[in-house]
Amino acid sequence: MTARHYVLPVVFALLACAISLTHTARTRQNFTFQPGNELDYYPGYALNLLAGYGYRDCIPTADLLCQRTADDQPEFWNQAYRLPGYPLFLTGVLLFTGTERIIPPILLLQSVLLALVVLLTVALAGRYYGDGAALVAGGLLLINGALFYLASLVMTEIFFTFLLLLFVWGFLHARRGPALLLTGILL
């Protein structure tokens, strides 16, 4: 690919990141952690992991940690009903950024992941179907309000979509050896 082929995906990715950050700033009422809010369960998992309580369901308490034990409600607290990929990702984010204010760094990173989703989609469309298809794909992504709405929530969709597109990119480009192994791990 020439340098010209990289311009369109990068432009669309930067536009998507700017739109996502603007949308998040306008729609997210409160950038603080809200204990007991269904949408803030995932940070609760991450905080449990950081505090050494393990990976189990919790309704986070106001001090940001779920300090209940499995004896409090064994039928509920012993298990986690969500897959661990996204909570582990959030744990890494919180380990890096700290737990003082946990929601803004997560939403910022999700805006970056959304930009990478747009970048990969436009790049794949351009590589396999030409510049016209890349332009259409990028335009459709930029007018898709659901993408920007999901990037403003602490939910798995943007992270999963990024990993899925990374897998597709790797699958189409991996020939053998370590690249193929990494692609398999992404699956």
Side-chain angles (χ1 to χ4, degrees), residues 69-126:
T69 65
D71 298 329
D72 290 340
Q73 292 175 318
E75 70 282 352
F76 184 71
W77 300 101
N78 273 345
Q79 301 178 45
Y81 296 102
R82 292 169 174 90
L83 295 174
Y86 189 64
L88 288 173
F89 166 72
L90 292 182
T91 302
V93 171
L94 297 180
L95 195 59
F96 182 72
T97 61
T99 58
E100 192 66 32
R101 290 187 38 98
I102 62 175
I103 300 297
I106 293 169
L107 296 179
L108 177 66
L109 194 52
Q110 287 194 167
S111 290
V112 171
L113 287 178
L114 175 65
L116 292 174
V117 163
V118 170
L119 179 100
L120 287 170
T121 303
V122 172
L124 284 169

